[in-house]
Amino acid sequence: MKCFSRYLPYLFRPPSTILSSSCHAEADIISTVEFNHTGELLATGDKGGRVVIFQREQESKQQPQRRGEYNVYSTFQSHEPEFDYLKSLEIEEKINKIRWLPQHNAACFLLSTNDKTVKLWKVSERDKRPEGYNLKDEDGRLRDPSMITTLRVPVLRPMDLMVEATPRRVFANAHTYHINSISVNSDYETYMSADDLRINLWNFEITNQSFNIVDIKPANMEELTEVITAAEFHPHHCNTFVYSSSKGTIRLCDMRASALCDRHAKFFEEPEDPSNRSFFSEIISSISDVKFSHSGRYVMTRDYLTVKVWDLNMENRPMETYQVHDYLRSKLCSLYENDCIFDKFECVWNGSDSVIMTGSYNNFFRMFDRNTKRDVTLEASRENSKPRAILKPRKVCVGGKRRKDEISVDSLDFSKKILHTAWHPSENIIAVAATNNLYIFQDKVN
């Protein structure tokens, strides 16, 4: 068996703890994963509206091998189920996206959103409590002013460390359709939220109004031909952002050109090959995720079968195209019948923009090395992953004789899917969400 390093210069191992619930409940299914800017914290959101934050273990001389392991730091309920009485519509509590803000002091801040409402959360630590109030008893009840005869100086007493999550802002009532993306601007004063037809720009200090910067809603909804699927700000230029559509196109917009960015600055689209035209062409060409590279020079997009890398200076075709699971092309009919063809896979860059990662079915996830053009398929599985074991590459057999370590395309489990992944901003540590399990793999420790 060839070792992992023959395929990519990274070896990942499972964590000592695979985080999951004991039973598979709908509310426990992980719906988003996101590292913060330093990689010391990792946040997940689930369909039950909960946010779980994991903190990286600090390196110690006694246990240097524990460096890189993540333990639960804080858990809180971010969103609750709601009901829109005007539209007779239930609003799910499911967390669609989480985005961290850069940390400037001891506290950290993150944005979380469900279909309609974005919330700004402050996560802070408290290891001291004040005692000796003048106007309150120790249990918090107000004292009778006539009984206060002396002035006390409150003091801070040590206490067990407590991590508190408090909502600082609630940004609501601005989206008619479901929010699919949020992105923090590089000025760190504004962020945008995108739904199927509109993109809104928010100021972090203003919750009661937002500015509509993109509106593709037609006057007659019967003329609707495409929807917005994802949007993201440029990592360095606060005036630039991209958004993708269900037609497989990407638009780059410049907010300096006009207040309403309905006219794009650049338009990225790959001409369709007529020989590959089929009934499913429009569905599989829909872009489910768009990500700027850390350098800001490239944009990566994920559609149903491929990952594409676009150069911002070349609009007519992608500079790189990677086949994620081309063996499913013959299975599109059955994937359409079981609705899997509408799954929205995400994609991520590594810290140096040299490797990209995205998910597939059967709990497989794929990595593509842009320099060597090599790729590898790995599996996030409790059965096949033991702590500190090196992951073995997996291969899918399309037809003919199947080898011992290969899996037949007909044997793939389409209920097990890797939709959400995250890559540490500077190290070779990845987080992979497999239904209600979170796997954290890291570079091999010598």
Side-chain angles (χ1 to χ4, degrees):
M1 172 61 66
K2 291 182 179 179
C3 68
F4 190 142
S5 57
R6 299 281 180 86
Y7 292 85
L8 282 176
Y10 306 106
L11 289 109
F12 295 98
R13 62 175 174 81
S16 57
T17 305
I18 297 173
L19 305 142
S20 71
S21 61
S22 57
C23 60
H24 181 103
E26 183 75 15
D28 297 326
I29 295 176
I30 298 173
S31 54
T32 185
V33 185
E34 188 78 11
F35 280 102
N36 73 340
H37 290 71
T38 63
E40 296 300 306
L41 297 174
L42 171 68
T44 67
D46 62 27
K47 287 193 173 183
R50 295 181 297 267
V51 172
V52 181
I53 301 176
F54 302 93
Q55 186 181 47
R56 192 180 187 185
E57 282 281 335
Q58 297 300 313
E59 187 171 6
S60 64
K61 293 181 179 179
Q62 291 77 19
Q63 294 179 308
Q65 74 276 8
R66 289 183 62 86
R67 175 64 174 167
E69 293 189 4
Y70 287 77
N71 294 318
V72 175
Y73 178 63
S74 176
T75 303
F76 59 92
Q77 188 72 30
S78 175
H79 287 72
E80 300 281 356
E82 300 176 45
F83 190 81
D84 188 332
Y85 291 96
L86 292 177
K87 298 179 180 177
S88 297
L89 186 69
E90 290 185 2
I91 303 173
E92 288 185 334
E93 64 270 35
K94 182 187 114 178
I95 307 297
N96 291 342
K97 295 289 179 185
I98 289 175
R99 291 291 180 265
W100 290 90
L101 276 67
Q103 188 171 348
H104 297 297
N105 50 39
C108 25
F109 292 84
L110 61 85
L111 288 171
S112 64
T113 183
N114 65 349
D115 287 340
K116 299 292 183 182
T117 305
V118 184
K119 294 184 179 181
L120 175 66
W121 289 89
K122 176 184 179 182
V123 182
S124 56
E125 296 180 353
R126 189 150 63 93
D127 59 359
K128 294 182 176 63
R129 68 171 182 270
E131 291 182 359
Y133 287 107
N134 286 286
L135 302 178
K136 294 181 181 179
D137 291 329
E138 298 304 330
D139 56 5
R141 290 179 298 180
L142 288 173
R143 299 171 62 190
D144 184 356
S146 61
M147 302 296 292
I148 302 174
T149 57
T150 58
L151 180 65
R152 294 188 294 180
V153 178
V155 294
L156 294 174
R157 303 287 187 195
M159 59 176 284
D160 292 337
L161 178 66
M162 185 168 61
V163 181
E164 297 177 314
T166 53
R168 299 305 301 267
R169 305 277 190 278
V170 177
F171 306 89
N173 305 319
H175 286 276
T176 306
Y177 307 97
H178 291 175
I179 299 173
N180 56 48
S181 302
I182 51 175
S183 180
V184 179
N185 201 346
S186 58
D187 61 11
Y188 303 127
E189 294 181 1
T190 57
Y191 76 93
M192 68 178 174
S193 56
D195 64 26
D196 292 344
L197 298 179
R198 295 189 178 97
I199 300 177
N200 293 331
L201 182 68
W202 300 83
N203 187 294
F204 279 111
E205 302 299 322
I206 302 172
T207 60
N208 60 353
Q209 64 178 3
S210 60
F211 193 80
N212 182 224
I213 53 177
V214 173
D215 188 349
I216 66 169
K217 182 180 179 181
N220 182 3
M221 283 295 282
E222 293 181 359
E223 299 173 0
L224 181 66
T225 59
E226 66 178 331
V227 295
I228 299 168
T229 56
E232 186 175 66
F233 269 118
H234 191 282
H236 310 303
H237 304 313
C238 61
N239 54 282
T240 308
F241 66 93
V242 294
Y243 69 91
S244 58
S245 83
S246 57
K247 279 191 170 182
T249 62
I250 310 110
R251 291 171 173 84
L252 180 91
C253 300
D254 190 337
M255 292 191 292
R256 296 172 300 183
S258 63
L260 191 62
C261 299
D262 285 349
R263 292 186 177 181
H264 48 265
K266 291 188 176 184
F267 182 77
F268 301 86
E269 183 179 25
E270 183 178 24
E272 185 182 7
D273 184 355
S275 63
N276 289 334
R277 181 72 183 171
S278 72
F279 171 79
F280 306 104
S281 294
E282 288 190 10
I283 301 174
I284 64 175
S285 66
S286 176
I287 294 174
S288 56
D289 195 17
V290 58
K291 293 277 175 62
F292 271 108
S293 62
H294 294 86
S295 65
R297 171 70 186 273
Y298 307 106
V299 169
M300 173 170 57
T301 60
R302 170 71 203 264
D303 55 42
Y304 190 68
L305 294 178
T306 65
V307 172
K308 297 173 181 175
V309 177
W310 302 77
D311 190 320
L312 291 186
N313 296 325
M314 187 169 67
E315 302 173 50
N316 59 338
R317 61 183 175 85
M319 61 180 294
E320 299 165 22
T321 300
Y322 301 98
Q323 300 294 333
V324 179
H325 38 216
D326 199 50
Y327 47 78
L328 295 181
R329 197 175 290 274
S330 60
K331 301 281 185 184
L332 293 179
C333 188
S334 58
L335 290 168
Y336 178 79
E337 291 174 354
N338 62 17
D339 284 344
C340 283
I341 201 170
F342 301 106
D343 286 333
K344 300 184 184 304
F345 293 95
E346 297 176 4
C347 52
V348 292
W349 302 87
N350 73 335
S352 61
D353 299 333
S354 60
V355 182
I356 57 183
M357 175 174 62
T358 190
S360 182
Y361 293 104
N362 206 70
N363 278 356
F364 289 167
F365 58 97
R366 303 268 283 142
M367 288 184 176
F368 303 93
D369 190 313
R370 299 180 59 214
N371 297 324
T372 64
K373 303 304 177 186
R374 291 177 177 175
D375 62 87
V376 67
T377 301
L378 301 171
E379 182 180 7
S381 168
R382 299 191 69 163
E383 291 76 22
N384 300 334
S385 299
K386 296 180 180 179
R388 288 164 180 69
I390 296 175
L391 290 185
K392 295 180 180 179
R394 301 300 305 270
K395 281 193 175 183
V396 178
C397 173
V398 179
K401 191 174 181 179
R402 183 170 64 89
R403 295 182 180 177
K404 179 183 176 182
D405 295 318
E406 292 181 341
I407 182 171
S408 170
V409 66
D410 298 317
S411 303
L412 295 175
D413 188 345
F414 293 103
S415 66
K416 295 179 179 178
K417 56 193 80 172
I418 305 290
L419 300 178
H420 314 288
T421 59
W423 202 309
H424 190 286
S426 58
E427 297 182 36
N428 293 325
I429 299 176
I430 59 172
V432 177
T435 318
N436 61 332
N437 297 321
L438 175 67
Y439 296 84
I440 302 174
F441 304 102
Q442 75 168 57
D443 201 0
K444 185 184 177 191
V445 178
N446 294 322

